[in-house]
Amino acid sequence: MSDQETTILGEFLPYEEKIGESGNFIFVDAKEYIDAHKKTLDNYEKFWEELALELYWFRKPQKVLESVEKPYIYKWFSDGLINVSYLALDRNVKSGRKNKIAYIWEGEPVDKDGNPKEIKKLTYYELWREVNKASYILKSKFGLKKGDKIGIYLPMIPELPIFMLAAARLGIIFTVVFAGFTAENLATRLNDIKATLLITADGFYRRGKIIRLKDIADKALELSPSVKNVLVVRRIGLENLNMVEGRDYFFDELSKGVSPGVYVEPEKLESNETLYVLYTSGTTGKPKGIMHDHGGYSVLLHATMKWVFDIKDEDIHFCTADIGWVTGHSYIVFGPLIEGATSIMYEGAPDYPQPDRIWSIVERYGATILYTSPTLVRMLMKLGEDWVKKRDRSTLRIIHSVGEPINPSAWRWLYEVVGEKRCPVGSTWWMTETGGIMISHTPGFKLVHLKPGTNALPLPGVDVDVVDEKGNSMEPGKKGFLVIRRPWPGMPSWPDGIWGDYQRYVQVYWDKIKGLFFTGDWAIRDQDGYIWVLGRADEVLKVAGHRIGTYELESTLVSHKAVAEAAVVGYPDEVKGEVPVAFVSLKSGFSSSAELAEELKGWIRREFGPIAVPSQIFFVSRLPKTRSGKIMRRLLRALLEDKPLGDMTTLEDEAAVEEIKEAYERISKEIKRS
């Protein structure tokens, strides 16, 4: 990588700004952390073995890490016998948490005063009984056994973790499909895993509307010949459902004949047996089915719940993600339950019926840990501080973000407004592929000083680096590829890494920089050793020979007082190769104008450099995003280049695309007239 291809971020990254006062936490300098971290890598197999033995094993492992005949496929704790459902439930029921609340669930509908109509609280004992009942039905009614495959297409209701845990109890491999996906997306995943059973619901609430989920599932089943049976949860009580005799069954009706005290013995599973397959999309090709196992995955979640969330028995853990994504798998279901924590589950939209819904949940249940996304933060920032300040957040003690890099202004808003400078605020980095958090501030291990926007340092036992194309470590301040140098518990598991496609697993993750796990992200390590993830390596503009990450430009725009969100894409240019074009959403109280567009261009020129000044700035009220909150830049590029938009099935709100198209056409006409 040449000097021209590195970006100079001297002022963009506030290397010298360190915050070391937050609540009751003791901060250490980076050197102390790095020294402690090095010790975890000196004999890192022993380090992970000791963590593994903190969990309950039916048979304790004697082996820690071994490779198999397939390069880059590793087995962790291979001779150990374990079951994540037992760890999450039976162990807690037997150890004094029987009557502790496992889940506080809140439905979306509210009454005339704005209070939730539906609240359910499940203790560990009640959850254990429900999971045993569900396991019994899967086993006795449908004949499912270890190694069988099922699909779960449910909204954020208690039955979602119940069936995940029931499948895990029996050793059934499951794939959860986000309830916002279309029939085509569901069918693709069911067919890839060859699921024989689909678990779905009649419908669910979203922004006050009823989504008829079973109707969508029926369309998918027309394309999914492997599915022989469908189990339907009555969430809404909808009538006129298409229930095919001999194929479709209501869960509540099958439950009537099951004894409340039914017990299903958990399977004693080898550590490397597959727990679930979760599909993650790339920019091209069919979704990749990432495999995670019972043993290594459980160990990683146990460790990260301790280090990153500093989990205590009295904590109320609130993760705002959907369980349909890996964040929900790891940090709403398996991670918190393994640790015996109380978690909040919320069914609906985060700003329904008012923008204070998230903060009202924090207030209502006294949440102590908040795990959320930068996308949601920026959306709520846009609506102003009053919605936050009207609710009590005094119980919060730790805040983390996940999903994408958090820009410094959004970090400050979380730290200063939401956490009132009491709570450490971290930006966790990980992927569907890693299974759990890899880089983060660690209040439960050693907490280094906070820097707005950084991901901090690699977790204990995790060997992360920033390298060039040949795998050489980059100097501090130089941009490179983020890689993982050693295997870790929770990594894509045996036998293929990607379900049924070992060659693709090697090609995507190991062949790019031979022998290193290629994450696909750009990153920089600063002089203190902190890592700053800059976004996807394929989301880069090449302007007059300079490689500029879209995240870097977007963060600079968002740091302006008027900007809530920004998306930057490249537009072909005969002279420069590409020029940046920005789509900007403004905060409440600011209006779009030609003067503001020029002001923002000047802001980029001063704060980033003249090479990155956008050729045009379009003002829009919202950006096109996937349902997991990621900006769909390919749609913006297609709009600019007047190309077909392609697949829009994962958009949260397709109207946003039309709005951007209309904005572009309108501005284009104005330019022509002038």
Side-chain angles (χ1 to χ4, degrees), residues 29 55 132 188 247 309 337 369 389 495 546 549 665:
D29 61 30
L55 299 178
N132 273 282
T188 296
R247 185 195 74 176
F309 298 105
L337 292 177
I369 298 169
K389 292 180 176 179
H546 296 270
E665 291 173 350

Side-chain angles (χ1 to χ4, degrees), residues 90-104:
D90 303 62
R91 188 174 61 139
N92 286 306
V93 169
K94 293 176 180 180
S95 65
R97 295 192 179 105
K98 183 176 181 179
N99 294 314
K100 181 181 178 181
I101 294 173
Y103 282 119
I104 303 168

Side-chain angles (χ1 to χ4, degrees), residues 364-378:
R364 193 155 32 249
Y365 310 114
T368 59
I369 298 169
L370 178 65
Y371 197 28
T372 191
S373 72
T375 299
L376 177 57
V377 172
R378 289 191 293 267

Side-chain angles (χ1 to χ4, degrees), residues 71-367:
Y72 311 120
I73 294 291
Y74 299 90
K75 287 186 174 182
W76 283 90
F77 319 113
S78 60
D79 58 342
L81 295 180
I82 198 168
N83 186 298
V84 72
S85 181
Y86 184 93
L87 293 179
L89 297 173
D90 303 62
R91 188 174 61 139
N92 286 306
V93 169
K94 293 176 180 180
S95 65
R97 295 192 179 105
K98 183 176 181 179
N99 294 314
K100 181 181 178 181
I101 294 173
Y103 282 119
I104 303 168
W105 176 81
E106 182 170 303
E108 185 186 76
V110 295
D111 61 22
K112 59 182 177 60
D113 297 319
N115 299 312
K117 289 183 176 180
E118 300 169 289
I119 297 173
K120 294 179 183 177
K121 296 181 180 181
L122 282 171
T123 66
Y124 272 90
Y125 183 60
E126 290 168 332
L127 183 61
W128 176 78
R129 285 176 53 150
E130 289 298 316
V131 168
N132 273 282
K133 179 175 67 177
S135 300
Y136 179 82
I137 289 171
L138 294 179
K139 185 176 182 178
S140 64
K141 174 62 185 178
F142 300 106
L144 293 169
K145 60 187 183 304
K146 184 176 81 170
D148 288 341
K149 281 84 67 180
I150 67 172
I152 303 176
Y153 185 53
L154 287 171
M156 285 286 286
I157 56 178
E159 286 80 3
L160 177 47
I162 285 169
F163 277 110
M164 293 167 71
L165 291 159
R169 194 171 192 83
L170 297 170
I172 296 167
I173 300 167
F174 63 87
T175 187
V176 175
V177 182
F178 174 55
F181 274 159
T182 62
E184 292 76 13
N185 282 326
L186 173 58
T188 296
R189 289 152 174 79
L190 295 175
N191 291 335
D192 192 61
I193 202 173
K194 293 183 172 54
T196 58
L197 172 74
L198 175 64
I199 302 170
T200 189
D202 56 351
F204 64 98
Y205 294 99
R206 185 69 178 177
R207 299 189 186 281
K209 299 178 181 178
I210 293 175
I211 308 298
R212 294 180 63 94
L213 196 63
K214 176 61 163 61
D215 294 352
I216 301 171
D218 284 339
K219 293 178 183 178
L221 293 171
E222 295 173 6
L223 307 171
S224 307
S226 66
V227 177
K228 305 304 180 187
N229 292 111
V230 181
L231 187 56
V232 182
V233 176
R234 273 194 251 246
R235 162 67 185 107
I236 306 293
L238 294 178
E239 298 179 354
N240 303 319
L241 287 184
N242 173 42
M243 297 292 288
V244 177
E245 187 175 355
R247 185 195 74 176
D248 300 353
Y249 301 88
F250 283 113
F251 177 50
D252 61 322
E253 293 181 0
L254 294 183
S255 299
K256 290 176 182 176
V258 180
S259 168
V262 68
Y263 173 72
V264 176
E265 185 79 23
E267 289 285 336
K268 296 177 173 63
L269 302 168
E270 293 181 6
S271 174
N272 293 112
E273 293 195 59
T274 303
L275 170 62
Y276 67 80
V277 178
L278 186 60
Y279 288 84
T280 179
S281 299
T283 53
T284 59
K286 71 174 186 178
K288 304 182 290 289
I290 304 300
M291 305 170 66
H292 288 299
D293 62 14
H294 277 254
Y297 178 67
S298 295
V299 173
L300 180 63
L301 297 186
H302 168 58
T304 54
M305 287 300 299
K306 291 202 309 179
W307 299 332
V308 177
F309 298 105
D310 187 37
I311 197 73
K312 310 290 186 187
D313 212 42
E314 63 272 19
D315 275 319
I316 307 294
H317 179 84
F318 182 22
C319 175
T320 65
D322 192 289
I323 293 174
W325 310 110
V326 72
T327 302
H329 280 56
S330 295
Y331 297 112
I332 298 178
V333 183
F334 296 113
L337 292 177
I338 287 172
E339 299 306 302
T342 297
S343 287
I344 297 169
M345 275 184 67
Y346 169 55
E347 176 187 33
D351 57 348
Y352 181 86
Q354 295 189 128
D356 65 342
R357 187 62 182 265
I358 294 298
W359 317 122
S360 74
I361 291 172
V362 169
E363 177 185 73
R364 193 155 32 249
Y365 310 114

Side-chain angles (χ1 to χ4, degrees), residues 305-478:
M305 287 300 299
K306 291 202 309 179
W307 299 332
V308 177
F309 298 105
D310 187 37
I311 197 73
K312 310 290 186 187
D313 212 42
E314 63 272 19
D315 275 319
I316 307 294
H317 179 84
F318 182 22
C319 175
T320 65
D322 192 289
I323 293 174
W325 310 110
V326 72
T327 302
H329 280 56
S330 295
Y331 297 112
I332 298 178
V333 183
F334 296 113
L337 292 177
I338 287 172
E339 299 306 302
T342 297
S343 287
I344 297 169
M345 275 184 67
Y346 169 55
E347 176 187 33
D351 57 348
Y352 181 86
Q354 295 189 128
D356 65 342
R357 187 62 182 265
I358 294 298
W359 317 122
S360 74
I361 291 172
V362 169
E363 177 185 73
R364 193 155 32 249
Y365 310 114
T368 59
I369 298 169
L370 178 65
Y371 197 28
T372 191
S373 72
T375 299
L376 177 57
V377 172
R378 289 191 293 267
M379 181 187 81
L380 297 174
M381 279 176 65
K382 179 180 176 181
L383 301 171
E385 299 178 5
D386 290 346
W387 292 107
V388 185
K389 292 180 176 179
K390 69 182 288 190
R391 296 292 184 173
D392 177 23
R393 288 112 41 233
S394 62
T395 56
L396 287 174
R397 69 183 190 91
I398 293 175
I399 301 172
H400 285 295
S401 70
V402 61
E404 60 179 322
I406 188 167
N407 48 288
S409 62
W411 185 95
R412 288 191 182 91
W413 192 78
L414 275 179
Y415 181 72
E416 296 171 3
V417 178
V418 177
E420 301 172 302
K421 299 184 179 181
R422 291 178 292 99
C423 308
V425 173
S427 174
T428 63
W429 178 88
W430 59 297
M431 310 163 66
T432 301
E433 293 84 344
T434 68
I437 298 164
M438 297 276 104
I439 306 171
S440 176
H441 283 90
T442 52
F445 176 66
K446 290 180 181 293
L447 180 58
V448 294
H449 294 85
L450 310 174
K451 297 184 183 183
T454 185
N455 299 99
L457 291 104
L459 295 192
V462 174
D463 194 358
V464 168
D465 201 359
V466 180
V467 303
D468 62 16
E469 296 96 331
K470 296 180 180 179
N472 301 311
S473 297
M474 302 297 293
E475 296 176 5
K478 296 279 188 168

